[in-house]
Amino acid sequence: MKNEFIRKETTIIHKGYSSEHHHDSLSVPLYQTSTYTFSSAEQGERRFAGEESGNIYSRLGNPTVRILEERIAELENGQSALAFGSGMAAVSAVLIHVTKTGDHILCSRGIYGCTFGLLEMMDEKYNISHSFSALSTEQEIEASIRPETVCVYIETPINPTMELVDLELVNKVAKKHGLKVIVDNTFSSPYLQNPLDFGADYVLHSATKYINGHGDVIAGLLIGNDVDDMMNIRMTVQKDVGGIISPFDAWLIIRGLKTLHVRMDRHSENAQQLVSFLQSASVVSEILYPFDPSHPQYEIAKKQMKAGGGLISFNIKGGKKAAQFFMNELQLIKIAVSLGDAETLIQHPATMTHSVIPEVEREKMGVSHSLLRLSVGLEHVEDIMADLKQAFAKVETHFAMTK
Ligand SMILES: *Cc1c(COP(=O)(O)O)cnc(C)c1O
């Protein structure tokens, strides 16, 4: 690439691609191939021996996938990235890479339901244990670290409670103890938050969400700063466990990614307006959106995030019955898990994304039956608001709530 682009908005569109090497095609070509031909047997030998760079087989690398990886590495201010067939493939790859039998993983107070499931499986099958902590002060982090702890695995904002973890603090304490820090940055996207800047060792994404942004791909990404270490993951866990992305999905993500900055700005603007609206809704008992002055962690939000993004969680009065009744009354807003799409989506974590977590654990994470998670889309904000408003009114009437 001739130009050294600096700003994210430009990187998102150009990084890692020169049309002159691809028949002058403006759009990144889709290399839908499983394997690559060698010009001679000797060339094949050299490529397998690592003496000559070049393609071998698409599980080890593909030109379309590589462009996505380069772009994402740059967007996360990292040196190297790997693309996977799902967010969970990225989560499992990095956890397999950093742990061995007997190790302990220290986690943020809440994590994605399937990540929880994976940790339970690692514990049962391989004796790799885990525990949870709010990680809110230096003392609390220190007290949670065990002799066998090897890494700290965090989400911030935490899905679905929107609680933040102070990236600067956690990285500082983890460094002192030689622990790797892994951050699931799905909720913010690389446009709003860059955990590597705070000293994290790995950042991962469910690219299914904001990065692709169009609700038509399942994919994951892992970014790091240590090029040799990342190559090691590529040539061991990724190659041999095999959770790679298809070239077509990588191509779709490259296409979706082009508008990430425009989308994130609008998601954030829409969400900010909806937060104000929800603050005035009498059916809502609590609003969880850290990038708002009313939130207790607003200072941390400002320190590590560029804007709040499109996710708002809130507690509705009347518990599970009211929550489900409310969802059923929505017309424009779709009932669906996943997030970060153009369509506004709503889900009930206790019975959906976080239903695999035992009730006791779930309550400890702050996921009660009155909690709803709204993924604010790109529709006109007043249309989203009108839909919420009419459904709130029906809840009030049906449950005879007084204002
Ligand atoms: C969706 C999600 C995942 C899992 O990603 P998939 O692409 O569905 O495998 C992991 N972490 C968070 C925070 C998510 O929202």
Side-chain angles (χ1 to χ4, degrees), residues 84-139:
F84 291 86
S86 70
M88 286 316 301
V91 174
S92 53
V94 71
L95 287 177
I96 290 170
H97 178 64
V98 301
T99 61
K100 60 177 182 347
T101 295
D103 288 346
H104 169 255
I105 302 165
L106 174 59
C107 303
S108 52
R109 209 160 73 96
I111 48 169
Y112 182 67
C114 297
T115 305
F116 182 87
L118 173 70
L119 289 172
E120 291 277 291
M121 184 185 77
M122 289 173 78
D123 193 9
E124 274 167 38
K125 292 178 76 105
Y126 307 113
N127 189 29
I128 297 163
S129 63
H130 60 272
S131 61
F132 301 95
S133 164
L135 308 170
S136 54
T137 62
E138 183 155 357
Q139 295 85 311

Side-chain angles (χ1 to χ4, degrees), residues 176-191:
K176 225 167 76 184
H177 292 267
L179 308 179
K180 297 279 183 206
V181 174
I182 305 163
V183 182
D184 181 338
N185 199 25
T186 300
F187 270 35
S188 294
S189 89
Y191 180 63

Side-chain angles (χ1 to χ4, degrees), residues 85-89 91 112 114-115 153 155 157 159 184 186-187 204-209 218-220 338-339 373:
S86 70
M88 286 316 301
V91 174
Y112 182 67
C114 297
T115 305
Y153 184 94
E155 285 179 20
N159 179 15
D184 181 338
T186 300
F187 270 35
L204 62 90
H205 288 275
S206 167
T208 312
K209 317 292 167 55
I218 300 274
S338 200
L339 56 103
R373 189 190 76 190

Side-chain angles (χ1 to χ4, degrees), residues 270 273-274 332 379-389:
N270 278 0
Q273 289 198 48
L274 289 172
L332 175 71
E379 302 96 338
H380 197 293
V381 67
E382 288 183 14
D383 292 336
I384 306 170
M385 215 178 283
D387 195 25
L388 292 169
K389 202 169 180 172

Side-chain angles (χ1 to χ4, degrees), residues 265-306:
D265 284 343
R266 182 60 69 87
H267 282 300
S268 302
E269 271 170 41
N270 278 0
Q272 207 88 47
Q273 289 198 48
L274 289 172
V275 166
S276 308
F277 162 73
L278 290 169
Q279 283 164 347
S280 69
S282 57
V283 182
V284 173
S285 59
E286 190 186 14
I287 301 152
L288 306 165
Y289 190 74
F291 214 87
D292 185 83
S294 69
H295 193 279
Q297 292 182 304
Y298 184 50
E299 289 307 315
I300 300 176
K302 280 194 297 185
K303 191 170 71 167
Q304 59 197 37
M305 297 167 78
K306 186 170 173 236

Side-chain angles (χ1 to χ4, degrees), residues 316-333:
I316 191 164
K317 290 178 191 163
K320 180 177 171 181
K321 275 212 174 78
Q324 291 187 329
F325 180 91
F326 169 72
M327 291 168 85
N328 292 337
E329 289 300 332
L330 291 166
Q331 290 164 8
L332 175 71
I333 299 168

Side-chain angles (χ1 to χ4, degrees), residues 168-233:
E168 191 183 0
L169 175 71
V170 170
N171 280 292
K172 190 185 84 180
V173 182
K175 281 278 124 66
K176 225 167 76 184
H177 292 267
L179 308 179
K180 297 279 183 206
V181 174
I182 305 163
V183 182
D184 181 338
N185 199 25
T186 300
F187 270 35
S188 294
S189 89
Y191 180 63
L192 298 184
Q193 177 172 273
N194 298 118
L196 296 180
D197 293 354
F198 294 87
D201 297 277
Y202 303 101
V203 175
L204 62 90
H205 288 275
S206 167
T208 312
K209 317 292 167 55
Y210 286 114
I211 289 178
N212 179 57
H214 291 71
D216 48 17
V217 170
I218 300 274
L221 293 157
L222 176 69
I223 305 97
N225 262 327
D226 183 335
V227 176
D228 293 339
D229 176 64
M230 292 295 286
M231 183 52 90
N232 190 6
I233 301 178

